[in-house]
Amino acid sequence: SQTIHQWPATLVQPVGSPLSLECTVEGTSNPNLYWYRQAAGRGLQLLFYSIGIDQISSEVPQNLSASRPQDRQFILSSKKLLLSDSGFYLCAGFLGARGGGYTFGSGTRLTVV
Amino acid sequence: GENVEQHPSTLSVQEGDSAVIKCTYSDSASNYFPWYKQELGKGPQLIIDIRSNVGEKKDQRIAVTLNKTAKHFSLHITETQPEDSAVYFCAASKGSNYQLIWGAGTKLIIKP
């Protein structure tokens, strides 16, 4: 089975500062990887997904970008954070039909002040 | 594209009673329907899923039913316990990449 590692768990950043959130996958290779954002008490908004190294699709135009430099590494970045970037960021991986659905990381709570 | 609607947004039930959460989907080509449970401050976890060739699936106190004709599926939790309190998400997908389309979530509150 796969495990998704995310860090940090909590982050407080000033407006205008850069951001880098890292997600790594353990226990599998070549998974589909996803970045989601969740506002407080709200649903899951898909931000980016990747089917392979350097293959990134963006779902929502925004202040964020994603990269996948290695098969098991997925990075969410921003050059200049906005207040509206605050939220709970989740990385997820999908192994395929036999993998039992998506596996989520434990999330990063980002507060932009 | 696919759209998934989930109801209710909040559900409060007495401990020991049953809880039912319903989702409808728009794309008849969708063929995979998972349910996730998200506890406070954590990532969602898969609790049960169903594929379109099956009408019902059960795992202990949790069951999911699928009505392909009406394009809706439901999560049933029997004999609810305090630890069932969480936000539950339904989702639907089609095709080989299994990209999920999510419902908006239901906050389930179990009253002691």
Side-chain angles (χ1 to χ4, degrees), chain B residues 16-73:
Chain B
D17 289 349
S18 295
V20 180
I21 303 170
K22 298 180 180 179
C23 288
T24 60
Y25 59 100
S26 60
D27 192 337
S28 56
S30 291
N31 55 17
Y32 175 65
F33 308 93
W35 285 91
Y36 286 78
K37 176 183 180 181
Q38 185 179 26
E39 297 177 342
L40 194 62
K42 298 183 179 180
Q45 284 196 309
L46 179 70
I47 55 171
I48 195 167
D49 58 10
I50 192 167
R51 287 178 167 80
S52 59
N53 57 346
V54 176
E56 183 174 359
K57 184 176 179 180
K58 190 173 182 180
D59 182 3
Q60 299 183 338
R61 296 186 297 108
I62 294 173
V64 57
T65 58
L66 171 66
N67 183 325
K68 287 188 293 183
T69 303
K71 291 189 284 188
H72 66 70
F73 56 110

Side-chain angles (χ1 to χ4, degrees), chain A residues 4-7 20-25 31-36 46-59 65-77 90-94:
Chain A
I4 306 290
H5 298 283
Q6 261 188 269
W7 66 90
S20 180
L21 300 181
E22 189 164 344
C23 168
T24 59
V25 182
N32 288 355
L33 296 175
Y34 306 84
W35 276 112
Y36 285 91
L46 178 63
L47 301 176
F48 300 95
Y49 72 93
S50 170
I51 61 173
I53 293 173
D54 295 328
Q55 299 180 70
I56 311 291
S57 294
S58 173
E59 290 294 303
S65 62
S67 61
R68 188 170 176 178
Q70 301 178 41
D71 179 48
R72 301 180 190 186
Q73 185 185 30
F74 201 25
I75 298 171
L76 183 69
S77 304
L90 288 157
C91 180
F94 176 66

Side-chain angles (χ1 to χ4, degrees), chain A residues 32 34 36 38 41-44 46 49 51 59 88 90 94 96-98 100-107 109, chain B residues 32 34 36 38-46 49 51 87 89 93 96-105:
Chain A
N32 288 355
Y34 306 84
Y36 285 91
Q38 190 175 29
R42 303 290 295 275
L44 297 163
L46 178 63
Y49 72 93
I51 61 173
E59 290 294 303
F88 191 48
L90 288 157
F94 176 66
R98 298 179 182 178
Y102 283 26
T103 299
F104 282 86
S106 53
R109 173 78 55 196
Chain B
Y32 175 65
Y36 286 78
Q38 185 179 26
E39 297 177 342
L40 194 62
K42 298 183 179 180
Q45 284 196 309
L46 179 70
D49 58 10
R51 287 178 167 80
V87 177
F89 290 97
S93 77
S96 59
N97 69 358
Y98 274 72
Q99 188 160 308
L100 294 177
I101 307 301
W102 296 87

